[in-house]
Amino acid sequence: AIDAVGAREILDSRGNPTVEVEVLLEDGTVSRAAVPSGASTGAFEAYELRDEDKNRYLGKGVTKAVEGILDEIGPAIEGIDATEQRVLDATLIALDGTENKQRLGANALLGVSLAVAKAAADSADLPLFRYLGGPNAHVLPVPLLNVINGGSHADTGVDIQEFFLVPHGAETFSEGLRWGVETYHTLKGILKKKGLATGLGDEGGFAPELASNAEALDLLLEAISAAGFTPGSDIALGLDVASSEFFENGAYQFEGKSLSSAEMTAYFAGLAANYPLVTIEDPLDEDDWEGYAALTAELGSKLQIVGDDLFVTNPVRLARGLAENVANSILVKVNQIGTLTETLDAVSLAQRNGYTAILSHRSGETEDTTIAHLAVATNCGQIKTGAPARSERVAKYNELLRIEEELGEAAIYAGSSAFPRYTA
Ligand code: PGA
Ligand code: ZN
């Protein structure tokens, strides 16, 4: 049972404060979790509580969230059995009492929810993926490596936020990761030779100033080939458009033009015809349900259409997507919804209905590696956790290498099976 709950303000990878929680169980187990934070956040995400005190951390302090954990949440959950995750999370949600967790903050609730799960796993002497997933947790995810950063993660003219390498053709996770790393380093050399910047964006990808979004895809193709791989069958490409960020006055302000959803859809159809794209996240605005349904009807049989800002890991929004044939995949971010139970519910709702699920980091991260475990626990087959650079990104990849080693012969790599373009 939970004996005591501690919390503190620490820093995330952007140097902004975030919440860290420590849970002590009666058997002496102490476990810790830290909470990530987004920049291009969806309007429908659970509430991130910040102090708004301009005299500390430019208003971004989280001492109110920490105090809520120490004064209210801790005393309310002491005595709950740490293995009763659903009871715990229901207690947290009821204690907060608001629709989007704005009283105590989703950042406070999530820190506690994850720390308790880790404590239960540690107390049972099991790795988190095994504790949560049981004996059938054995699928290592394909990494979606975000190696070129644009949009609101970089200060360049590139509108699309993320360009992924998808090494689905490898035999194992570690091989796929190595292919991605070799291509990443090769890409750096190519950028240098062309006189383009090799500084890094928030998620560890390069952030060069480019003439168009397609130029980023051309650079990736060049890097894949130069690194000795076959674009498409070995390493495919993916995008996170994060289009809510440039949807203004009812239109998409894209590459200097003002486009409708139909015009954006035609643009993506053109990209899919010319590049080995397998996945496009947030191609349209988070409230453009009709545009999304049309886009999904046109592109969904070939491409994974991923809802991030659209679904915000929320089972209610996902259920609407399922009913209206909107997208065919959900991005899963623990802090968009605020408890582990709701996160796992979103994943299983997706999986039961033939949607894929992708475990994801945030652009503001910490050394916490929980999402690596969640990807394996749910056998979801895909993880998005940035470029293979910057320790807060690499920490997740390194944890997956450890999990792969621990699983040994039982480990399988999701590979191409997740992508209709290469399995249909
Ligand atoms: P965020 O970006 O963490 O800044 O929201 C990641 C994403 O859009 O997938
Ligand atoms: Zn996204």
Side-chain angles (χ1 to χ4, degrees):
I2 297 164
D3 189 38
V5 181
R8 64 175 67 85
E9 185 181 61
I10 61 165
L11 296 179
D12 73 12
S13 56
R14 273 193 282 252
N16 291 326
T18 191
V19 175
E20 177 170 273
V21 176
E22 270 162 13
V23 165
L24 167 69
L25 302 187
E26 276 165 7
D27 68 6
T29 305
V30 179
S31 302
R32 171 189 291 165
V35 176
S37 176
S40 68
T41 48
F44 305 101
E45 295 193 19
Y47 189 79
E48 182 180 71
L49 182 62
R50 294 202 178 268
D51 296 344
E52 311 298 341
D53 168 3
K54 297 291 172 214
N55 296 318
R56 287 188 77 252
Y57 288 118
L58 299 98
K60 293 191 170 176
V62 291
T63 61
K64 283 185 197 163
V66 166
E67 278 162 27
I69 294 170
L70 298 177
D71 298 346
E72 250 193 88
I73 298 178
I77 65 169
E78 279 161 24
I80 293 180
D81 190 322
T83 61
E84 296 282 358
Q85 188 76 38
R86 296 193 84 88
V87 171
L88 170 85
D89 288 338
T91 306
L92 296 176
I93 291 165
L95 186 66
D96 174 80
T98 66
E99 186 66 31
N100 64 346
K101 305 182 174 72
Q102 69 189 47
R103 195 177 72 81
L104 293 165
N107 42 347
L109 268 50
L110 180 69
V112 174
S113 182
L114 295 181
V116 170
K118 287 173 147 195
D122 290 343
S123 172
D125 208 16
L126 290 171
L128 186 63
F129 78 89
R130 178 67 76 202
Y131 166 72
L132 292 173
N136 196 40
H138 70 297
V139 179
L140 271 288
V142 176
L144 309 185
L145 296 135
N146 172 15
V147 296
I148 295 184
N149 297 180
S152 56
H153 291 169
D155 301 316
T156 59
V158 179
D159 305 310
I160 293 179
Q161 181 177 282
E162 307 176 15
F163 296 83
F164 312 132
L165 298 171
V166 186
H168 67 97
E171 293 289 320
T172 61
F173 170 77
S174 45
E175 186 181 50
L177 182 63
R178 177 173 62 79
W179 290 7
V181 170
E182 289 171 6
T183 304
Y184 177 76
H185 292 304
T186 304
L187 174 62
K188 181 171 182 177
I190 290 170
L191 293 173
K192 260 193 177 156
K193 245 188 13 226
K194 293 184 192 288
L196 292 164
T198 55
L200 303 185
D202 284 356
E203 298 187 349
F206 303 111
E209 199 67 66
L210 303 175
S212 72
N213 291 279
E215 190 183 348
L217 293 173
D218 291 329
L219 286 165
L220 295 190
L221 290 186
E222 190 179 341
I224 292 167
S225 297
F229 304 108
T230 306
S233 59
D234 285 340
I235 304 181
L237 302 180
L239 301 174
D240 179 2
V241 185
S243 57
S244 299
E245 297 292 308
F246 54 78
F247 185 72
E248 278 154 38
N249 309 319
Y252 297 90
Q253 311 304 322
F254 187 75
E255 295 195 330
K257 287 171 285 192
S258 189
L259 302 180
S260 67
S261 1
E263 288 168 322
M264 289 297 287
T265 302
Y267 170 78
F268 297 126
L271 288 186
N274 291 312
Y275 297 94
L277 275 180
V278 289
T279 182
I280 304 186
E281 180 180 328
D282 284 347
L284 297 176
D285 180 65
E286 59 206 352
D287 259 333
D288 190 357
W289 294 89
E290 269 178 42
Y292 251 108
L295 179 144
T296 307
E298 185 172 340
L299 303 175
S301 61
K302 259 173 84 178
L303 292 178
Q304 178 172 260
I305 309 296
V306 186
D308 168 18
D309 291 348
L310 176 71
F311 293 141
V312 290
T313 315
N314 187 322
V316 175
R317 288 185 67 88
L318 175 59
R320 176 168 179 192
L322 294 169
E324 297 180 16
N325 291 315
V326 160
N328 54 29
S329 180
I330 181 174
L331 199 77
V332 176
K333 293 167 163 171
V334 284
N335 80 320
Q336 279 182 330
I337 188 71
T339 66
L340 179 59
T341 296
E342 291 165 288
T343 303
L344 295 175
D345 282 351
V347 173
S348 62
L349 180 62
Q351 291 177 332
R352 284 199 309 279
N353 288 280
Y355 276 37
T356 55
I358 307 168
L359 250 295
S360 175
H361 66 164
R362 299 309 303 250
S363 52
E365 267 294 336
T366 69
E367 57 272 38
D368 187 286
T369 61
T370 302
I371 61 165
H373 288 265
L374 296 185
V376 179
T378 58
N379 290 328
C380 73
Q382 296 178 65
I383 191 166
K384 177 173 118 157
T385 186
R390 302 180 51 140
S391 289
E392 77 281 3
R393 315 294 147 187
V394 171
K396 281 68 164 176
Y397 294 127
N398 287 342
E399 191 72 356
L400 286 164
L401 291 172
R402 294 182 195 104
I403 293 172
E404 179 181 57
E405 182 182 304
E406 166 136 10
L407 281 168
E409 291 288 294
I412 64 161
Y413 182 51
S416 315
S417 64
F419 305 106
R421 186 162 187 167
Y422 287 96
T423 49

